[in-house]
């Protein structure tokens, strides 16, 4: 793969050539391992979300329109056509905000990339190496597109996983289909034309629809390109292309800069809590004072949070009413963690929200600090007895500088599978994920994740 020519190419040309020509041998061992870590994590969160009402509704609605049932719906007995399975598995994996995070963009790359790969794996079988290669390609593409429009894109209100996710899904699918660079450009053009997703949908089923849509749309975009479907020659960097329309002060150089040498997909972080990533350091701090100072929710008069501006923009939600909204509410998160001393899925349900609504949520004052890392925050608790307790978290648990171990990711999958009563063999699923590059048929993995 010729990556040193990227500076002489447009961003579109560099990224499409990368997606079309990256070989397995070009991927360093540490990137391969990080890809497997991402897959362990995303299968965990897909199992966690597989029986949520949004998934039920989507499956029921899609049944009347679906084609041949070729592909597994993770954690369930239903099988669907490949585009619908990609849609449903992506939305289920992201539904609890418990999936991976690329901290520089706040994209959740794995949900939109793994879903079309494993939907295709049963419809048109291919090897585990092919699946891992496609996953790395798709993950790198979605992160690169996200970097090119950040920070404006997300802060302006676009749900960046949904809007940029279609490019990753198209790249992964195109790699499996063997698209050349020109065909990959056409796939990106169709993905760009379908890009959508709003931050305002966070905490609602509509957010899951846009994530699922990105996975499905990218899969179809690649299929269309393989049959001669075309689009603009520069879908990303054209005068009215994606960067110009969806960004402000866009950075086209991010598309090809050091491509194939610096790996954004290897910078993924994995969450210990099912919340928006900016809440992770807040929960770390609250768990510390619960444990070390024996502070309880009823002891708190008010709270001050100093963090990245996204902490305020995404989580200043005092009057929530549902579990999905709770995932992006600092007021609820602080109240429930200081009441229960834990921060698992059970703390972000409708019942938990009713509990904090009845017992009371603290008044929270936010202080923006633009230069602060999203994995860092200062939490100051003003207690009713006059004491003031301050905790600063420099690197939240699960962040890139304080990552979850492989064994912790395995435990996450095991715990989440047990939580939904998954009847499959978790040990066999984990083994298949860690040895995916040894499998002749990548579909073996997703079949192990089917419900019984």
């Amino acid at each position: 793969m010729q990556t040193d020519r990227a500076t002489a190419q447009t961003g579109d040309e560099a990224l499409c050539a990368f997606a079309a020509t990256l070989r397995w041998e070009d991927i360093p061992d540490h990137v391969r391992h990080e890809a497997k870590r991402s897959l362990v994590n995303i299968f965990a969160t897909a199992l966690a979300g597989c029986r949520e009402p949004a998934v039920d509704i989507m499956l029921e609605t899609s049944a009347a329109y679906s084609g041949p049932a070729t592909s597994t719906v993770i954690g369930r007995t239903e099988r669907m056509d490949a585009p619908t399975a990609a849609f449903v598995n992506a939305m289920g994996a992201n539904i609890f905000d418990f999936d991976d995070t690329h901290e520089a963009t706040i994209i959740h790359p794995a949900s939109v990339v793994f879903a079309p790969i494993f939907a295709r794996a049963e419809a048109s079988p291919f090897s585990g190496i092919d699946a891992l290669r496609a996953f790395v390609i798709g993950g790198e593409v979605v992160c690169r597109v996200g970097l090119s429009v950040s920070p404006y894109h997300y802060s302006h209100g676009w749900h960046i996983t949904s809007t940029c996710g279609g490019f990753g899904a198209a790249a992964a699918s195109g790699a499996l289909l063997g698209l050349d660079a020109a065909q990959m450009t056409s796939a990106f053009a169709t993905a760009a034309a379908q890009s959508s997703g709003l931050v305002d949908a966070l905490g609602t089923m509509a957010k899951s629809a846009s994530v699922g849509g990105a996975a499905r749309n990218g899969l179809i975009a690649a299929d269309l390109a393989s049959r001669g479907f075309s689009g603009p020659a520069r879908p990303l960097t054209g005068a009215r292309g994606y960067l110009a329309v969806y960004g402000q002060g866009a950075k086209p150089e991010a598309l090809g800069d050091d491509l194939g040498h610096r790996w954004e997909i290897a910078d993924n972080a994995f969450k210990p809590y099912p919340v928006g990533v900016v809440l992770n350091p807040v929960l770390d701090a609250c768990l510390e004072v619960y444990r070390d100072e024996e502070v309880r929710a009823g002891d708190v008069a008010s709270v001050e949070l100093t963090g990245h501006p996204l902490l305020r923009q995404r989580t200043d939600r005092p009057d929530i009413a549902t579990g999905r909204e709770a995932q992006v509410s600092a007021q609820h998160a602080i109240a429930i963690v200081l009441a229960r001393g834990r921060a698992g899925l059970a703390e972000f349900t409708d019942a938990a929200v009713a509990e904090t609504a009845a017992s009371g949520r603290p008044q929270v004052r936010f202080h923006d600090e633009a230069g602060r890392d999203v994995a860092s925050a200062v939490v100051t608790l003003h207690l009713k007895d006059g004491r003031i307790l301050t905790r600063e978290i420099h690197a939240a648990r699960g962040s890139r500088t304080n990552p979850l171990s492989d064994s912790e990711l395995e435990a996450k999958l095991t715990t989440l599978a047990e939580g939904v009563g998954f009847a499959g063999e978790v040990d066999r699923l984990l083994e298949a994920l860690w040895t995916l590059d040894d499998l002749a048929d990548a579909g073996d993995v997703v079949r192990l994740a089917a419900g019984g």
Side-chain angles (χ1 to χ4, degrees):
M1 184 186 62
Q2 298 295 319
T3 56
D4 56 352
R5 294 189 303 147
T7 55
Q9 299 172 311
T10 68
D12 300 84
E13 290 170 338
L15 200 58
C16 291
F18 168 85
T21 63
L22 183 76
R23 302 171 303 167
W24 176 246
E25 295 79 10
D26 298 322
I27 304 172
D29 287 343
H30 79 279
V31 178
R32 296 176 186 180
H33 185 70
E34 286 299 325
K36 292 178 183 179
R37 282 167 52 81
S38 290
L39 287 171
V40 170
N41 187 75
I42 204 65
F43 270 86
T45 65
L47 285 168
C50 70
R51 299 181 189 168
E52 283 297 288
V55 174
D56 293 337
I57 294 169
M58 182 60 195
L59 285 171
E60 182 181 354
T61 303
S62 300
Y65 307 106
S66 296
T70 59
S71 303
T72 293
V73 177
I74 291 172
R76 302 181 66 116
T77 57
E78 294 96 332
R79 293 174 63 81
M80 304 296 287
D81 62 90
T84 303
F87 189 112
V88 173
N89 288 333
M91 68 185 292
N94 176 258
I95 207 164
F96 285 121
D97 268 321
F98 212 177
D99 48 344
D100 56 327
T101 305
H102 178 248
E103 292 177 345
T105 59
I106 319 297
I107 288 174
H108 307 290
S111 58
V112 289
V113 175
F114 100 110
I117 291 172
F118 287 96
R120 284 186 180 279
E122 294 181 281
S124 303
F126 46 80
S127 72
I129 282 179
D130 287 339
L132 270 174
R133 171 178 163 270
F135 185 79
V136 170
I137 288 170
E140 192 69 18
V141 164
V142 67
C143 292
R144 293 289 183 146
V145 175
L147 284 171
S148 72
V149 292
S150 292
Y152 170 84
H153 185 81
Y154 188 50
S155 64
H156 190 64
W158 294 107
H159 185 243
I160 194 166
T161 298
S162 303
T163 52
C164 297
F167 296 100
S173 295
L176 293 170
L177 292 172
L179 300 189
D180 61 26
Q183 292 171 315
M184 197 69 77
T185 301
S186 295
F188 281 24
T190 302
Q194 299 177 94
S195 174
S196 187
L198 298 174
V199 165
D200 197 49
L202 291 176
T204 73
M205 291 182 183
K207 185 265 285 185
S208 299
S210 65
V211 173
R216 178 189 59 196
N217 293 346
L219 182 153
I220 292 172
D223 278 341
L224 291 170
S226 74
R227 291 168 169 80
F229 204 81
S230 63
R234 293 171 59 198
L236 292 165
T237 63
R240 294 293 181 269
Y242 187 84
L243 271 62
V245 174
Y246 285 77
Q248 183 172 297
K251 301 181 287 292
E253 65 276 8
L255 297 170
D257 184 30
D258 213 14
L259 190 58
H261 298 285
R262 190 188 78 247
W263 297 89
E264 296 297 331
I265 191 58
D267 272 342
N268 244 358
F270 308 106
K271 298 178 182 180
Y273 317 119
V275 295
V277 68
V278 288
L279 278 176
N280 284 352
V282 176
L283 296 187
D284 279 352
C286 289
L287 289 167
E288 276 190 16
V289 298
Y290 181 95
R291 180 188 66 242
D292 299 341
E293 305 292 342
E294 298 186 354
V295 171
R296 300 296 181 261
D299 301 328
V300 178
S302 64
V303 180
E304 292 184 71
L305 300 180
T306 300
H308 189 283
L310 285 173
L311 178 60
R312 172 186 55 80
Q313 294 168 14
R314 297 294 176 262
T315 73
D316 185 10
R317 299 172 186 245
D319 300 317
I320 61 161
T322 70
R324 296 295 71 74
E325 292 176 308
Q327 297 164 230
V328 284
S329 168
Q331 290 83 355
H332 168 82
I334 293 167
I336 200 68
V337 167
L338 291 179
R340 297 185 179 183
R342 57 185 184 271
L345 285 175
E347 281 62 62
F348 297 90
T349 61
D350 290 355
V353 169
E355 180 181 324
T356 62
S359 61
R361 300 168 189 149
Q363 294 291 319
V364 179
R365 183 180 178 189
F366 291 82
H367 304 284
D368 290 352
E369 200 170 284
R372 184 174 284 275
D373 193 278
V374 294
S376 171
V378 179
V379 179
T380 300
L381 303 179
H382 297 266
L383 305 185
K384 292 176 181 177
D385 64 8
R387 287 183 296 158
I388 299 175
L389 299 178
T390 298
R391 290 289 187 278
E392 181 168 8
I393 303 297
H394 295 283
R397 183 168 166 253
S399 64
R400 282 302 300 163
T401 51
N402 186 16
L404 298 185
S405 67
D406 290 356
S407 60
E408 286 176 312
L409 289 174
E410 290 183 354
K412 181 176 177 178
L413 190 153
T414 300
T415 299
L416 295 181
E418 290 173 350
V420 294
F422 177 61
E425 298 180 66
V426 172
D427 288 346
R428 287 186 63 201
L429 175 58
L430 282 167
E431 181 183 5
L433 289 167
W434 288 124
T435 62
L436 179 56
D437 44 339
D438 294 329
L439 297 182
D441 183 356
D444 289 345
V445 174
V446 73
R447 283 187 285 272
L448 286 169

